[in-house]
Amino acid sequence: MNAPFAAIAAPPERLRQSAARVDAVSITHFRLMVLMLLFVAATAVIAGKLAWMAVASERPTAGASTYGLIPPRADIVDRNGVTLARTIDAWSIAVHPDRLLNPPEIVAAKLAEVLPDRTEAEYLAILKSGKRFVYLKRRALPATIRAVNAIGEPAIALGREPERLYPQGNLASHVMGWLDQDGKPTTGMERVLDARLTANEGRGRPVALSIDSRVQAALETELTAAMVKHQAIGASGLVLDARTGEVMAMTSLPSFNPNAPSFGKVEDLANKSTLNVYELGSTFKMITMANAIEHGVVTSMSHRYDATAPLQVGRFKIKDDHPQNRFLDVPEILVHSSNIGTARIADQLGPERTAAFFRKLGFDAPVDIELGAKGRPLWPKFWARTTTMTVAYGHGIAVTPLHLASAYAALVNGGVWRPATLLKREAGQVPEGRRVISEATSARMRQLMRLVVMKGTGRKADAAGFRLGGKTGTAEKPRDGGYAHHSLISTFAGVFPMDDPRYVIIAMLDEPKGTADTFGYATAAWTAGPVIARTVARIGPLLGVTPNLARDVDESELLPLLWEPKGANPNAVE
Amino acid sequence: MMAARFRSITWVAVAVVPALACYLVTQHVAAERAELAKVERRIGQTRLAIRNLETELGTRGNFAQIERWNGQTFALAAPTAEQFVGAGVQLASLSALPAIARPLVPAGASTGVTQAAVAPAAPAAAAVVRTAALPDAPAVAAPAAVRRVVAKAVSAVAVVRQVAFKPVRRAEPVVEPEPQPMVRQAAYVKPARDHAAPTKVAMLTENGPLGAGTLADIGRLANAERGSRRR
């Protein structure tokens, strides 16, 4: 800084020297300045970078830890969390025929060896087609992938793509439905819940159905066994929570595998429990009786109705399957499943009250459940006197098995009808429902149902200790304007435990044949009844119903009303 | 002079060094964060693997497969109503059934399950019930008596013993030469040590059902067994 003064005061030769020094100093100053600027720039860059990092880097969100865990479609689980449907990354094998490097004949031969789904000629046709992309197999096993990879053809593309897997296979397949090739739902709960399953929020949380897979498995096993034994063409089963309307199990046999629905028969894809309507026969007698008691048509259990001879109404003749040929009181009408007695009571009820009661139970509309495929009941077009009489014992009106289950739930649960559901209902979500019969009538119906299983046609369904009650129903299939006498629909509608009704269980066999150990009978008592007994013994403990031989419904006022001829075999089942 | 010349550089240094330090810190933080992200990714991958394994396990062990094992391999059937036990009394009555010849095993092991289940409710009852069930011949009176006693929740040990011993008196001639019941008897004697006085007074007088010789035998066997169990 004081260099200029030095220069002025300095002698000339020193002045020259000092001029050179001034140059050097200024150069140094300049260099220092550049260096400083560099430092400043570096600092600014660092500061800028720091500031940018502070601003730009966002906090790690909670979702970051679920990396790769949000499936493209939510899982479906049963009420206990058992997976029923899940999206997995499956291996797929495809080929680009236009990019083939090896001779197609050799590749086709090797492919036919590894993937025996198609023949060698078919593979050759695919490879020579010149297409850009052809799927050879989807959802392949790792071992297959390894073998295909070993072929060493670069045109074969191995990829991972989301696939819907149903780990339980055929279990509850009609409830689940399935996805088509493009991942679009076709039927079942997959379709009903599609929006919820694919919505961005909630894909990570599975949807819980009301189904209990243990119950479902037991019901399907026992029904299948009975179906095979009696060579039935189909079967349908239901377990319904009588208090909440939740469907614990719903099956339609033969079932299909939703993992490969194309291998099943088309007619098996229909859900017999909600889509097909049947004349369910004598199971309707309970409904008629509840209606009659509720409306005061039946005032006394001991009132006797004439069942001495078939009832002639116009051209129509009502007969009994197990004719007693005597006067029957109310419990006896149900225990012996008398059409004549029921028809007489229905005649007193009249068409208006019968139709109104059926409407209250929802028999005039498709069944109330989430599923899309629902059958419309066959409701009588004209209520003649005979119509009133026949619908009373389940002929001339056709409903789905689920209609019947909901109705039975209402008859025993204190008289409140609630819509059925396939979604798990929490305690607070149970709908109010609508009252169809009084509490007192419901109590009487519980006694009557238990009596039928204790003493009547339902004896084969009695699972010891489970206090099962219910009613058999055997109906002939309508055919060519009349009835086919050897094509039966055998149904059993039961409720357990009858002293505190929890579950309605229905088993229906379509066209069962009699066997040697049923003495040729194909009626519900012999075919559907044993299914109920075995299923209830299995599912009762699972559902928290402990069998107890020391408890039962109080039948003391009804038992004396049953007359048994002397010397009759008390254990005979007609 | 020098200090003055380097002052500006010093200022620059003062500015740069903290900045560098801060930069190092951020680098460190970034590295940590990357590490964390990697761990989280690994957690995610592990969860995915768990999910895949669960799926595979669930598919291989689906209900159809379990049904096949249950029905065909193990031939299992649904439990009947008799197999459900509702209360402790019912449970106790199970071991009071007419005794079938049981293999000679140390007490405790033979009726282990029943005993364990009964014990919390009525500790004294366990031993008594076993004794009553053991004499083979006169098992007619014993079960009823024992059941009644157990129902009373067994507080008075002396009374219980009285009831339980009655059948032994009648069965003595048959039972005595057989070593097997005596050993079991010996196993029972053990709890009686705590209440030695009432036992002697109530039952085992000189001219009572069990003579001095028998008692000595029982005692010897009991001692032998106690010793063998200690070893």
Side-chain angles (χ1 to χ4, degrees):
Chain A
M1 306 259 177
N2 36 17
F5 298 100
I8 291 162
E13 79 275 16
R14 281 196 63 185
L15 201 96
R16 236 177 285 126
Q17 278 181 0
S18 67
R21 190 183 293 162
V22 168
D23 277 355
V25 165
S26 65
I27 287 170
T28 313
H29 274 191
F30 177 72
R31 283 180 181 164
L32 275 174
M33 187 62 80
V34 168
L35 195 66
M36 195 191 78
L37 281 175
L38 280 176
F39 271 116
V40 167
T43 315
V45 165
I46 292 166
K49 164 91 174 162
L50 277 175
W52 183 81
M53 276 174 65
V55 173
S57 72
E58 55 204 24
R59 297 181 66 81
T61 52
S65 60
T66 56
Y67 167 84
L69 259 190
I70 307 287
R73 192 178 174 84
D75 293 356
I76 300 180
V77 298
D78 80 343
R79 63 185 304 114
N80 303 316
V82 176
T83 310
L84 294 175
R86 168 172 279 184
T87 298
I88 55 162
D89 274 340
W91 285 101
S92 67
I93 304 168
V95 66
H96 303 278
D98 57 336
R99 289 192 232 153
L100 212 62
L101 290 186
N102 294 306
E105 288 78 13
I106 296 174
V107 178
K110 284 183 176 170
L111 276 177
E113 203 177 296
V114 178
L115 301 170
D117 301 351
R118 294 190 179 93
T119 63
E120 191 180 330
E122 283 171 319
Y123 280 119
L124 196 60
I126 291 171
L127 294 176
K128 283 186 169 171
S129 65
K131 285 182 188 160
R132 285 190 59 196
F133 187 83
V134 180
Y135 271 118
L136 295 181
K137 189 175 175 66
R138 302 175 87 166
R139 203 180 288 175
L141 293 174
T144 319
I145 294 294
R146 240 173 280 136
V148 170
N149 201 26
I151 296 176
E153 167 56 54
I156 295 178
L158 305 174
R160 302 210 79 168
E161 24 186 87
E163 281 276 353
R164 199 69 163 162
L165 175 78
Y166 302 89
Q168 299 293 342
N170 287 31
L171 192 85
S173 50
H174 291 93
V175 175
M176 302 304 298
W178 73 95
L179 303 187
D180 64 10
Q181 287 276 316
D182 307 321
K184 294 271 167 295
T186 51
T187 58
M189 292 309 277
E190 289 275 22
R191 181 156 177 190
V192 174
L193 297 168
D194 190 39
R196 157 73 179 80
L197 292 172
T198 51
N200 272 335
E201 65 281 4
R203 260 188 302 154
R205 286 177 295 115
V207 181
L209 298 187
S210 63
I211 297 286
D212 186 326
S213 15
R214 303 167 301 172
V215 176
Q216 177 85 25
L219 182 66
E220 284 190 10
T221 310
E222 297 302 342
L223 261 181
T224 309
M227 204 176 96
V228 170
K229 182 185 169 197
H230 294 291
Q231 299 162 37
I233 59 169
S236 162
L238 275 165
V239 179
L240 187 78
D241 190 316
R243 295 174 187 165
T244 66
E246 291 172 281
V247 177
M248 310 294 283
M250 175 193 278
T251 183
S252 166
L253 296 173
S255 58
F256 62 91
N257 186 351
N259 292 308
S262 53
F263 292 118
K265 285 193 211 149
V266 178
E267 61 265 30
D268 294 344
L269 301 180
N271 187 349
K272 294 187 179 66
S273 300
T274 60
L275 185 63
N276 295 11
V277 293
Y278 302 94
E279 295 190 359
L280 291 173
S282 306
T283 50
F284 269 54
K285 283 175 189 159
M286 283 292 172
I287 297 168
T288 303
M289 206 57 84
N291 192 10
I293 296 171
E294 179 71 13
H295 285 106
V297 171
V298 168
T299 47
S300 162
M301 287 291 112
S302 58
H303 189 277
R304 285 161 179 269
Y305 295 85
D306 180 7
T308 48
L311 182 61
Q312 189 82 35
V313 185
R315 291 184 295 112
F316 205 79
K317 198 182 216 177
I318 295 172
K319 293 188 288 262
D320 274 356
D321 293 338
H322 322 292
Q324 301 291 311
N325 300 322
R326 58 188 172 95
F327 277 73
L328 299 174
D329 58 32
V330 173
E332 281 175 333
I333 287 176
L334 294 173
V335 162
H336 299 295
S337 197
S338 165
N339 295 341
I340 304 168
T342 315
R344 286 192 191 279
I345 292 173
D347 201 22
Q348 293 178 19
L349 260 172
E352 288 82 19
R353 285 191 286 196
T354 306
F357 194 65
F358 282 178
R359 282 208 177 86
K360 265 191 191 172
L361 294 170
F363 285 179
D364 60 335
V367 71
D368 202 338
I369 197 161
E370 291 90 354
L371 291 177
K374 289 184 282 196
R376 178 164 279 280
L378 296 181
W379 182 261
K381 285 193 188 72
F382 176 70
W383 286 77
R385 187 175 169 218
T386 47
T387 316
T388 315
M389 287 177 163
T390 55
V391 295
Y393 57 88
H395 286 73
I397 184 168
V399 296
T400 67
L402 187 57
H403 273 109
L404 187 71
S406 288
Y408 265 61
L411 293 191
V412 296
N413 71 4
V416 179
W417 183 92
R418 290 188 183 88
T421 182
L422 275 165
L423 292 172
K424 192 176 178 181
R425 273 181 186 155
E426 302 302 333
Q429 298 172 335
V430 178
E432 193 76 357
R434 58 171 182 261
R435 179 158 291 281
V436 291
I437 55 171
S438 67
E439 198 78 55
T441 311
S442 180
R444 179 64 83 194
M445 292 318 294
R446 293 202 283 268
Q447 282 182 317
L448 288 169
M449 282 191 195
R450 178 74 187 124
L451 198 65
V452 169
V453 172
M454 281 167 81
K455 294 285 173 190
T457 50
R459 246 171 297 172
K460 289 267 173 194
D462 196 13
F466 286 99
R467 292 94 76 195
L468 183 99
K471 182 78 189 78
T472 55
T474 308
E476 289 162 0
K477 272 189 164 180
R479 190 164 294 167
D480 308 328
Y483 283 97
H485 293 299
H486 296 291
S487 305
L488 302 180
I489 296 285
S490 296
T491 317
F492 192 97
V495 182
F496 70 96
M498 215 67 218
D499 48 344
D500 178 24
R502 294 280 306 279
Y503 300 101
V504 176
I505 176 168
I506 288 189
M508 190 206 80
L509 288 167
D510 191 350
E511 294 192 22
K513 317 277 181 299
T515 57
D517 64 333
T518 68
F519 309 106
Y521 284 109
T523 53
W526 287 98
T527 55
V531 176
I532 298 282
R534 278 197 296 271
T535 311
V536 168
R538 284 182 63 174
I539 67 174
L542 296 177
L543 293 171
V545 180
T546 317
N548 191 343
L549 293 170
R551 285 182 71 173
D552 216 321
V553 181
D554 181 10
E555 301 282 8
S556 51
E557 47 181 323
L558 296 184
L559 279 174
L561 298 177
L562 297 180
W563 177 82
E564 274 172 13
K566 269 181 192 159
N569 177 8
N571 294 318
V573 174
E574 295 93 345
Chain B
M1 186 74 179
M2 283 295 282
R5 282 180 165 226
F6 277 99
R7 192 180 296 150
S8 55
I9 294 174
T10 313
W11 279 117
V12 171
V14 164
V16 166
V17 167
L20 273 176
C22 287
Y23 184 64
L24 281 178
V25 169
T26 61
Q27 285 299 91
H28 190 70
V29 168
E32 286 294 320
R33 193 172 283 176
E35 193 69 23
L36 187 68
K38 209 196 278 175
V39 169
E40 282 190 338
R41 211 158 46 238
R42 283 219 330 262
I43 292 173
Q45 280 165 355
T46 313
R47 280 195 187 158
L48 209 62
I50 291 172
R51 191 178 143 91
N52 284 342
L53 288 173
E54 263 177 12
T55 310
E56 185 174 347
L57 216 63
T59 312
R60 286 181 193 276
N62 63 14
F63 279 101
Q65 181 62 50
I66 292 172
E67 191 66 46
R68 228 167 288 140
W69 282 332
N70 283 354
Q72 292 170 12
T73 313
F74 300 116
L76 296 178
T80 57
E82 292 85 6
Q83 287 172 272
F84 287 84
V85 175
V89 177
Q90 205 184 341
L91 189 65
S93 72
L94 287 178
S95 61
L97 290 171
I100 42 167
R102 287 187 229 176
L104 185 60
V105 279
S110 61
T111 52
V113 177
T114 334
Q115 240 183 309
V118 172
V128 177
V129 170
R130 191 167 2 110
T131 323
L134 283 177
D136 291 292
V140 203
V146 169
R147 225 172 283 143
R148 197 176 61 235
V149 170
V150 175
K152 283 181 189 165
V154 194
S155 52
V157 180
V159 178
V160 172
R161 203 154 289 128
Q162 235 170 345
V163 175
F165 262 102
K166 264 176 199 155
V168 180
R169 183 195 317 165
R170 264 177 259 134
E172 202 200 0
V174 191
V175 173
E176 204 193 2
E178 297 276 322
Q180 187 175 319
M182 299 241 296
V183 171
R184 287 193 199 154
Q185 203 67 30
Y188 161 68
V189 168
K190 192 186 172 189
R193 272 192 304 164
D194 306 336
H195 313 275
T199 309
K200 277 174 191 162
V201 173
M203 285 300 302
L204 312 169
T205 49
E206 272 303 304
N207 41 6
L210 299 173
T214 321
L215 272 179
D217 273 358
I218 291 171
R220 192 161 38 77
L221 279 161
N223 280 331
E225 178 163 341
R226 211 175 293 144
S228 71
R229 256 199 274 167
R230 280 206 190 120
R231 246 180 282 123

